[in-house]
């Protein structure tokens, strides 16, 4: 399976799932546009490494996914956008009555509204090319809820809804839109939650991972960035041409409970 000649734009891809997805798409032959809000030499170095290692074109474009105009500018600067992976995301954990308004706004903007803006900018490019794939990295929290994650759960449910609308509006145009719903994946976003949880419950790291983080993940194993990247490659393939408007759970059985 080859994605030669296709350009993939992956938001929030200088670490974690986004970077893992970019690498798997590059292995399949796609040219890569990486993104985050920082503009450091090491961000651009990641693109150089991908280009060297996998023999594709790769570049890094800084753009803040909390700002609609920058989301749209990312797609415009990319020029081509055959595969759009909306992945940028942040987490904030607090009870609703203690949830700071600015944190609510940031989570909704980065995790949900950015996907609206990038999709709006990418669809005309995909229509002109006569082919496109929109892949939204939602979450098990796009299908189910946990306490203290109101903004995240609202944003991820919103992304699933946006995915369905995108699929319906493009259904006859050789463009598909799907959402991947991962359970826990050990990335910096999840790693950052471990120390506080260890302190809160007086538990060691392994106990926090098994009994708190993976409590609802029946497999008791993290999903990996390679598995998520492989799923994106599949969604970009001809085998998935009639899959659209759906969610793919990669959650060790969480949403089967
Ligand atoms: P991460 O913190 O490693 O990566 C998040 C990425 O988003 C980083 O590249 C970061 O730089 C970028 N980002 C953050 N704010 C941004 C902004 N304003 N503009 C542009 N980029 C920004 O986290 P991750 O675990 O790899 O998460 C990636 C996505 O996967 C998120 O949408 C997250 O909600 C989702 N997800 C993660 C898990 C998990 O267990 N790790 C589970 C389900 C869903």
């Amino acid at each position: 399976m080859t994605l030669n000649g296709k350009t993939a734009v992956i938001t929030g891809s200088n670490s974690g799932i986004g970077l893992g997805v970019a690498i798997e798409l590059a292995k399949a032959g796609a040219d890569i546009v990486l993104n985050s809000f920082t503009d450091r030499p090491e961000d651009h170095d990641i693109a150089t490494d991908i280009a060297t290692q996998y023999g594709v074109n790769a570049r890094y474009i800084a753009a803040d996914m909390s700002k609609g105009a920058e989301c749209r500018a990312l797609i415009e600067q990319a020029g081509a956008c055959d595969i759009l992976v909306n992945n940028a995301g942040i987490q904030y954990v607090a009870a609703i009555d203690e949830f700071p308004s600015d944190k609510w706004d940031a989570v909704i903007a980065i995790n949900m509204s950015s996907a609206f803006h990038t999709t709006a900018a990418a669809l005309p490019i995909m229509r002109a090319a006569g082919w496109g794939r929109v892949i939204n990295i939602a979450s098990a929290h796009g299908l189910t809820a946990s306490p203290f994650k109101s903004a995240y759960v609202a944003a991820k449910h919103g992304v699933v809804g946006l995915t369905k609308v995108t699929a319906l509006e493009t259904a006859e145009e050789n463009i598909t839109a799907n959402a991947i719903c991962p359970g826990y994946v050990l990335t910096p976003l999840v790693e950052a939650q471990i120390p506080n949880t260890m302190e809160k419950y007086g538990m060691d790291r392994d106990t926090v991972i098994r009994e708190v983080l993976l409590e609802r993940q029946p497999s008791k194993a993290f999903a990996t960035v390679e598995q998520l990247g492989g799923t994106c490659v599949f969604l970009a393939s001809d085998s998935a041409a009639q899959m659209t408007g759906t969610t793919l759970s990669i959650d060790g059985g969480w949403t089967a409970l």
Side-chain angles (χ1 to χ4, degrees), residues 13-15 19 22-23 26 32-36 38-54 56-62:
S13 47
N14 65 351
S15 85
L19 179 55
I23 289 171
I32 300 296
V33 176
L34 298 170
N35 153 264
S36 186
T38 50
D39 201 4
R40 308 163 300 181
E42 53 264 46
D43 296 320
H44 296 270
D45 290 346
I46 300 171
T48 307
D49 288 348
I50 288 178
T52 308
Q53 205 162 344
Y54 304 110
V56 297
N57 293 318
R59 63 204 162 106
Y60 176 89
I61 300 176

Side-chain angles (χ1 to χ4, degrees), residues 55-101:
V56 297
N57 293 318
R59 63 204 162 106
Y60 176 89
I61 300 176
D64 184 346
M65 294 297 105
S66 71
K67 299 186 169 75
E70 293 198 29
C71 297
R72 290 168 188 262
L74 167 66
I75 304 301
E76 279 156 28
Q77 280 182 48
C81 183
D82 304 292
I83 302 164
L84 170 64
V85 183
N86 286 305
N87 168 78
I90 59 169
Q91 176 63 282
Y92 193 85
V93 179
I96 290 175
D97 52 340
E98 293 169 2
F99 212 97
S101 294

Side-chain angles (χ1 to χ4, degrees), residues 11-19 35-38 40 60 63-67 86-91 110-111 137-141 152 156 180-191 193 222 225 228 254:
T11 70
S13 47
N14 65 351
S15 85
I17 292 170
L19 179 55
N35 153 264
S36 186
F37 60 94
T38 50
R40 308 163 300 181
Y60 176 89
D64 184 346
M65 294 297 105
S66 71
K67 299 186 169 75
N86 286 305
N87 168 78
I90 59 169
Q91 176 63 282
I110 296 168
N111 295 26
I137 307 297
S139 168
H141 282 118
Y152 189 86
K156 294 299 188 180
I180 295 178
C181 295
Y184 275 103
V185 187
L186 193 56
T187 64
L189 183 140
V190 169
E191 190 67 51
Q193 298 174 39
F222 287 109
V225 300
L228 299 189
W254 177 342

Side-chain angles (χ1 to χ4, degrees), residues 103-143:
K103 297 293 184 196
W104 170 274
D105 290 344
V107 172
I108 296 294
I110 296 168
N111 295 26
M112 185 181 76
S113 301
S114 67
F116 160 71
H117 293 294
T118 54
T119 302
L123 286 183
I125 297 173
M126 292 177 178
R127 285 184 172 124
W131 190 95
R133 295 287 190 263
V134 179
I135 303 172
N136 293 324
I137 307 297
S139 168
H141 282 118
L143 303 169

